[in-house]
């Protein structure tokens, strides 16, 4: 018994040690919901630092209201709307898609939303690809909606919708937003750099920007000496800092490369044409949604 006690004492592992050897605790924290994972991180400064959990700034999928109209014959079909772009899939604990939604306001309720993940950027709707969905039809009045899922590396995720067939059915979304809970292994620079990119509208529909940003970020990343001293040309550093991006150390540049690479990969994989072809856009300047 005394020997057993001595061995157990020698083998004591702290929370910090456990998370360090468990790749920032992703394996353990992945079993917790976002709320529980954050609650754990907030129990102490040690747990907060060890877990590296941070929340990225929300990314809007669309401003205002998106209306869809179901035809008599094809209204029960599922149609793909938009991709849920995740800035750092490999570092993501979980994702939440939120909006407010409703149907035509009277009659039968048939509207549904789905989030499906696939390794392919093209293809028809498959039930096996659905990671989360609404479990009831859209109400006649606007209601909040939150869909949560855990992304897999290598997969892309899209919002799909079904309006309802038989004629007269409509579906409306307001202010769809994506929140990501991530593991920031770059001393907080993933969150800081992503916040600057969101503020500058980098996640909009300008496909050239992510490609240029990645090229510049890769160049800047290679401009640090072994001792950590920055050798970035002043003009490059100035251009990045004008965007609100940090160039102060290698962690900052490593984080920027991760974000820019994710953005440019999404741009390169986009289908040609306009993904918005299946719906009409309405401006809603009086939108008073909380989302």
């Amino acid at each position: 018994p005394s020997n057993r006690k001595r061995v157990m004492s020698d083998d004591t592992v702290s929370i910090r040690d456990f998370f360090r050897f468990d790749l920032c605790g992703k394996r353990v924290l992945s079993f917790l919901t976002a709320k529980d994972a954050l609650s754990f991180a907030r129990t102490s400064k040690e747990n907060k630092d060890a877990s590296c959990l941070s929340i990225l700034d929300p990314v809007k999928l669309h401003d205002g209201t998106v209306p869809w109209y179901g035809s008599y014959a094809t209204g029960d079909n599922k149609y793909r709307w938009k991709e849920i772009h995740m800035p750092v899939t490999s570092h993501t604990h979980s994702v939440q898609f939120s909006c407010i939604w409703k149907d035509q306001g009277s009659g039968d309720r048939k509207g549904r939303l789905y989030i499906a993940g696939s390794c392919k950027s093209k293809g028809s709707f498959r039930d096996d690809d659905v990671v989360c969905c609404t479990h009831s039809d859209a109400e006649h009045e606007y209601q909040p909606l939150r869909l949560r899922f855990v992304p897999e590396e290598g997969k892309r995720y899209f919002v799909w919708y079904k309006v309802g067939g038989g004629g007269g059915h409509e579906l409306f979304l307001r202010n769809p937003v994506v929140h990501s809970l991530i593991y920031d292994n770059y001393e907080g620079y993933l969150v800081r750099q992503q916040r600057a990119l969101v503020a500058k509208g980098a996640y909009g529909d300008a496909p050239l920007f992510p490609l240029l940003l990645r090229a510049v970020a890769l160049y800047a990343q290679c401009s640090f000496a072994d001792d950590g001293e920055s050798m970035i040309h002043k003009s490059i550093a100035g251009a990045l800092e004008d965007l609100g991006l940090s160039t102060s150390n290698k962690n900052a540049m490593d984080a920027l490369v991760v974000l820019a690479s994710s953005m440019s990969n999404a741009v390169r994989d986009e289908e040609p044409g306009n993904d918005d072809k299946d719906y009409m856009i309405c401006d809603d300047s009086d939108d008073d949604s909380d989302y």
Side-chain angles (χ1 to χ4, degrees):
S2 60
N3 182 54
R4 178 180 299 177
K5 182 176 181 181
R6 181 182 61 80
V7 171
M8 291 179 65
S9 176
D10 290 344
D11 291 347
T12 298
V13 178
S14 70
I15 289 290
R16 181 177 294 276
D17 292 334
F18 181 74
F19 274 87
R20 183 171 66 249
F21 289 112
D22 191 33
L23 298 178
C24 193
K26 287 196 286 187
R27 190 174 305 167
V28 173
L29 293 177
S30 65
F31 290 98
L32 302 179
T33 64
K35 181 179 180 180
D36 289 341
L38 287 169
S39 295
F40 168 79
R42 290 166 181 158
T43 54
S44 71
K45 185 179 185 303
E46 180 183 27
N47 289 347
K48 181 178 183 299
D49 294 341
S51 64
C52 302
L53 284 172
S54 296
I55 301 174
L56 293 178
D57 273 23
V59 176
K60 288 186 179 181
L61 294 185
H62 181 74
D63 287 316
T65 302
V66 180
W68 293 304
Y69 305 99
S71 69
Y72 183 90
T74 63
D76 286 324
N77 294 344
K78 281 93 169 179
Y79 294 96
R80 196 178 84 177
W81 178 43
K82 278 197 175 185
E83 181 173 6
I84 295 179
H85 174 66
M86 285 160 287
V88 283
T89 305
S90 62
H91 296 266
T92 301
H93 172 277
S94 54
V95 176
Q96 176 180 281
F97 167 85
S98 61
C99 66
I100 58 174
W101 71 319
K102 76 179 190 73
D103 67 6
Q104 68 279 353
S106 62
D108 293 337
R109 295 164 46 226
K110 296 185 178 181
R112 291 284 181 110
L113 288 178
Y114 312 82
I115 295 177
S118 174
C119 296
K120 302 177 181 179
S121 60
K122 302 179 182 179
S124 57
F125 181 88
R126 296 176 66 250
D127 288 330
D128 290 343
D129 292 336
V130 175
V131 294
C132 57
C133 63
T134 55
H135 296 291
S136 60
D137 299 319
E139 300 284 350
H140 292 330
E141 301 294 334
Y142 276 113
Q143 299 292 331
L145 171 66
R146 295 181 179 87
L147 297 176
R148 301 178 181 90
F149 65 96
V150 177
E152 295 181 36
E153 191 170 0
K155 287 190 175 183
R156 299 176 64 182
Y157 295 86
F158 297 86
V159 179
W160 293 72
Y161 66 91
K162 181 194 75 171
V163 179
H169 290 282
E170 302 172 358
L171 192 60
F172 300 91
L173 259 66
R174 276 189 176 183
N175 293 348
V177 173
V178 176
H179 293 81
S180 297
L181 178 62
I182 67 161
Y183 307 101
D184 192 341
N185 301 342
Y186 298 91
E187 297 184 354
Y189 279 101
L190 272 177
V191 169
R192 298 180 212 178
Q193 303 287 55
Q194 188 262 356
R195 181 177 299 130
L197 291 173
V198 169
K200 294 296 183 180
Y203 292 95
D205 298 322
L208 186 60
F209 178 80
L211 301 177
L212 292 174
L213 179 64
R214 181 175 183 272
V216 172
L218 284 170
Y219 168 79
Q221 183 188 43
C222 297
S223 300
F224 280 88
D226 292 339
D227 60 1
E229 182 181 355
S230 174
M231 305 293 289
I232 304 175
H233 193 278
K234 290 183 178 180
S235 62
I236 299 294
L240 292 173
E241 289 167 1
D242 285 345
L243 292 173
L245 298 166
S246 174
T247 61
S248 60
N249 56 61
K250 195 170 185 302
N251 268 320
M253 296 318 305
D254 289 346
L256 183 58
V257 168
V258 169
L259 293 167
S261 296
S262 176
M263 294 167 65
S264 62
N265 287 340
V267 168
R268 276 197 291 263
D269 292 339
E270 279 297 321
E271 295 182 57
N274 187 356
D275 279 346
D276 297 345
K277 60 183 177 293
D278 288 328
Y279 64 90
M280 297 174 60
I281 300 296
C282 285
D283 287 330
D284 191 351
S285 56
D286 294 329
D287 185 4
D288 57 356
S289 166
D290 291 334
Y291 291 83

